[in-house]
Amino acid sequence: MNDTSTTRSGMVALVGRPNVGKSTLVNALVGEKVSIVTPKPQTTRHRIIGVLTQPGLQIALVDTPGLHTGQRSALNRVLNETAMSSLAGIDVVLFVVEAGQWRAEDAAALERLASIRTPVGLVINKVDRVPDKTELLPFIEQMNTRREFAFIAPVSAQKNKNLDSVVAECASRMPEGPFLFPEDEYTDRNLRFIAAETVREKLTMYMQQELPYSAAVEIERFEQGGEQIEIHACIWVSRDNHKAMVIGKGGAMLKKIGRAARLDLVDRLEHRVDLRLWVKVRENWIDSEASVRDLGH
Ligand SMILES: Nc1nc2c(ncn2[C@@H]2O[C@H](COP(=O)(O)OP(=O)(O)OP(=O)(O)O)[C@@H](O)[C@H]2O)c(=O)[nH]1
Ligand SMILES: [Mg+2]
């Protein structure tokens, strides 16, 4: 084999506290919507892989739930475990922070990486919020004292700024080897999962406060018949009054969630979609590890 047939491929995990933009970054790097994004912390609940493929290069980007302190529900524990267990077999870790923001939760997340031997690159996201870029310099200096990072990349995932340098830094650290995924595949997740996550994204966007944290979505039916996909999704909540809130006056809220999710799914699945939603109560499921796992976490 000559040089031109050599391929590089490996795994890059994105970790950091909730809401810094890990999922937005995965989506921007892959160029497809792999992982749901909302303005609320603790949106991602699973280890989700987005696949970036270029000539001779494939990077599997592992999105993880934001590492958090604070609440101690079974769900919270499972999310932190999911994030940490995603670091096995990883070639590069991207530790993601927000420009100019260093909070106790960032420190706690970085602390969890203290014993890791894998190279850790720092991604300073949301630099679009800092109009005067010279303000970033003291922040970068401060970051340099916290750990010896393999590289530092200031980016804006949302505005697609400086993402090439993240790809280049990761690419140079990918081992030689065959691709891990078929070239036309951009995620390890199936359409059923995408359907459930799309419903949860809309629910999280439209519902107030803590309700989204204690809601889960389960697909009960996913049937493709010709041009149309029929999807039945159940929204699990943990209290009776939450059920009433999700349904809304005369079913208005549930309709709104369903309409937005259906529009997205038509786009993503490239089929007509018949989406039906149900709301059911499972008392305090976030406090029971068995229920948390049972609902797909
Ligand atoms: N201004 C700005 N906002 C961003 C950028 N990247 C992400 N955001 C916003 O930050 C919020 C959180 O983004 P997510 O990608 O869901 O963050 P996350 O780190 O995956 O959050 P968790 O899944 O909860 O851990 C959303 O409202 C995004 O639109 C950016 O580069 N600039
Ligand atoms: Mg996320």
Side-chain angles (χ1 to χ4, degrees), residues 17-24 36-44 63-66 125-126 128-129 156-159:
R17 75 160 157 83
N19 212 40
V20 292
K22 299 176 295 297
S23 301
T24 308
I36 61 169
V37 167
T38 82
K40 301 199 175 96
Q42 290 183 35
T43 294
T44 303
D63 190 15
T64 65
N125 189 31
K126 308 196 186 182
D128 55 287
R129 287 194 182 161
S156 169
Q158 201 176 61
K159 306 260 184 277

Side-chain angles (χ1 to χ4, degrees), residues 269-293:
L269 307 182
E270 293 174 337
H271 274 79
R272 283 215 305 270
V273 172
D274 179 13
L275 174 66
R276 312 221 180 144
L277 301 178
W278 281 264
V279 188
K280 294 182 195 166
V281 180
R282 191 188 285 199
E283 291 281 337
N284 300 321
W285 69 269
I286 59 167
D287 293 319
S288 146
E289 181 148 341
S291 294
V292 169
R293 301 222 182 261

Side-chain angles (χ1 to χ4, degrees), residues 12-296:
V12 172
L14 290 87
V15 296
R17 75 160 157 83
N19 212 40
V20 292
K22 299 176 295 297
S23 301
T24 308
L25 185 56
V26 168
N27 294 345
L29 289 168
V30 172
E32 297 279 354
K33 179 140 178 190
V34 173
S35 199
I36 61 169
V37 167
T38 82
K40 301 199 175 96
Q42 290 183 35
T43 294
T44 303
R45 291 204 185 147
H46 305 85
R47 170 185 183 274
I48 302 169
I49 296 184
V51 186
L52 168 82
T53 305
Q54 292 178 354
L57 172 71
Q58 189 173 70
I59 303 177
L61 297 150
V62 184
D63 190 15
T64 65
L67 287 167
H68 54 277
T69 52
Q71 311 105 311
R72 282 280 161 266
S73 67
L75 176 63
N76 284 117
R77 278 197 305 280
V78 168
L79 294 186
N80 276 340
E81 272 167 33
T82 303
M84 290 310 291
S85 65
S86 304
L87 297 180
I90 291 294
D91 300 292
V92 173
V93 173
L94 295 179
F95 180 64
V96 185
V97 298
E98 267 179 67
Q101 304 273 328
W102 182 259
R103 303 183 190 163
E105 257 186 343
D106 293 296
L110 186 59
E111 183 62 31
R112 282 169 173 269
L113 301 179
S115 61
I116 277 177
R117 297 198 176 278
T118 317
V120 178
L122 177 71
V123 175
I124 302 175
N125 189 31
K126 308 196 186 182
V127 297
D128 55 287
R129 287 194 182 161
V130 184
D132 179 3
K133 300 294 183 263
T134 58
E135 282 176 20
L136 286 173
L137 295 176
F139 186 71
I140 291 174
E141 250 165 57
Q142 186 202 344
M143 291 300 113
N144 266 322
T145 65
R146 303 204 182 271
R147 183 185 177 117
E148 209 172 297
F149 290 105
F151 56 89
I152 296 182
V155 308
S156 169
Q158 201 176 61
K159 306 260 184 277
N160 263 294
K161 286 278 171 338
N162 203 31
L163 301 186
D164 291 353
S165 84
V166 177
V167 175
E169 292 286 3
C170 291
S172 68
R173 292 172 176 84
M174 293 295 103
E176 278 184 17
F179 286 177
L180 303 166
F181 293 86
E183 285 186 36
D184 57 354
E185 229 165 83
Y186 68 85
T187 180
D188 66 331
R189 293 295 180 157
N190 60 23
L191 301 179
R192 236 184 138 95
F193 179 82
I194 288 171
E197 287 288 270
T198 304
V199 173
R200 200 164 61 79
E201 181 180 66
K202 306 312 173 196
L203 175 89
T204 304
M205 274 167 29
Y206 295 142
M207 298 305 306
Q208 297 302 311
Q209 304 299 333
E210 86 289 6
L211 193 152
Y213 304 124
S214 53
V217 177
E218 192 175 38
I219 301 299
E220 296 186 325
R221 183 184 168 89
F222 191 101
E223 290 282 329
Q224 187 168 346
E227 291 290 285
Q228 177 159 292
I229 302 178
E230 189 182 333
I231 304 172
H232 294 188
C234 174
I235 298 172
W236 287 99
V237 293
S238 64
R239 300 211 302 257
D240 275 331
N241 67 324
H242 282 183
K243 177 172 172 174
M245 286 159 78
V246 173
I247 293 171
K249 272 208 185 82
M253 179 53 81
L254 196 61
K255 229 177 239 160
K256 186 168 156 181
I257 293 167
R259 193 180 307 123
R262 199 187 68 81
L263 278 176
D264 260 31
L265 285 170
V266 166
D267 224 40
R268 298 189 63 189
L269 307 182
E270 293 174 337
H271 274 79
R272 283 215 305 270
V273 172
D274 179 13
L275 174 66
R276 312 221 180 144
L277 301 178
W278 281 264
V279 188
K280 294 182 195 166
V281 180
R282 191 188 285 199
E283 291 281 337
N284 300 321
W285 69 269
I286 59 167
D287 293 319
S288 146
E289 181 148 341
S291 294
V292 169
R293 301 222 182 261
D294 193 40
L295 288 172

